[in-house]
């Protein structure tokens, strides 16, 4: 029995466009982000999705509502799919974060898995939170196809979980806004069926930064 999950990164926000770290700050989609969400919804019609979950942060929730309108599905909130809490980096651009907190930024950029931002969350903590939720939802919907709307940092750890790649390794994949990422699991074995699909979007969907 195969279970399929379509993971959708939220549409673009003004902070994405400005390369500003959102973390768990509640930022809305911009006009392009709403267009991207509608396009994602149209592309998922006919895929047999039976349920739709989303992070309760506004940018993910708005994306899920627009996708759900196309699929006739009501999103269900899943707070454990929230973005990583970036603590003192939240609200800063990557350049500002490096200038103001150079030692912390070095740990962040070097993917120190145990480093937790001041008032924030480590990669290891994020990994546990997200992978437990992913497996719980997959078990709940065994044999079905479901969609999850979430965030770039969340997708980063999910990709590594499925591929059994270390959290400390440099990223070798893209995480575009409103991109579609299909996973499947059968007999406890996970695999990536496709990643970073953007054919439904206009060119230029922004990648999660930094790599």
């Amino acid at each position: 029995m195969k279970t399929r999950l379509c993971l959708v990164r939220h549409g673009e926000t003004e902070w994405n466009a400005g390369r500003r770290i959102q973390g768990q700050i509640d930022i809305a989609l911009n006009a392009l982000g709403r267009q991207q969400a509608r396009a994602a919804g149209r592309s998922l019609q006919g895929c047999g999705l039976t349920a739709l979950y989303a992070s309760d942060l506004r940018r993910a929730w708005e994306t899920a509502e627009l996708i759900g309108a196309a699929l006739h599905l009501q999103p269900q909130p899943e707070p454990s799919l929230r973005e990583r809490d970036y603590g003192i980096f939240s609200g800063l651009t990557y350049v500002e974060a490096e200038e103001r907190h150079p030692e912390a930024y070095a740990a962040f950029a070097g993917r120190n898995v145990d480093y937790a931002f001041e008032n924030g969350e480590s990669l290891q903590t994020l990994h546990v939170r997200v992978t437990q939720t992913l497996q719980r939802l997959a078990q709940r919907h065994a044999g079905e196809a479901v969609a999850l709307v979430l965030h770039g940092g969340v997708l980063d750890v999910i990709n590594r979980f499925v591929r059994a790649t270390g959290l400390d390794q440099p990223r070798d994949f893209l995480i575009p806004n409103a991109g579609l990422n299909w996973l499947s699991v059968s007999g406890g074995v996970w695999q990536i069926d496709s990643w970073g699909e953007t054919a439904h979007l206009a060119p230029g969907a922004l990648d999660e930064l930094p790599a």
Side-chain angles (χ1 to χ4, degrees), residues 96-157:
E96 290 169 343
E98 186 172 15
E99 290 175 346
R100 297 182 192 183
H101 309 286
E103 292 184 7
Y105 193 87
F108 164 64
R111 300 191 64 88
N112 181 328
V113 299
D114 296 315
Y115 171 71
F117 302 91
E118 184 178 335
N119 302 319
E121 189 175 26
S122 72
L123 269 175
Q124 184 60 42
T125 300
L126 174 68
H127 180 268
V128 171
R129 165 166 67 85
V130 168
T131 56
Q132 286 181 347
T133 303
L134 185 72
Q135 293 176 91
R136 171 170 53 83
L137 293 177
Q139 290 170 359
R140 179 183 299 172
H141 294 280
E144 301 176 38
V146 300
L148 314 180
V149 182
L150 25 68
H151 305 268
V154 176
L155 283 160
D156 178 273
V157 299

Side-chain angles (χ1 to χ4, degrees), residues 159-173:
N159 182 290
R160 295 163 189 277
F161 163 70
V162 174
R163 296 167 61 201
T165 303
L167 293 173
D168 59 346
Q169 297 301 305
R171 178 154 62 82
D172 59 358
F173 52 92

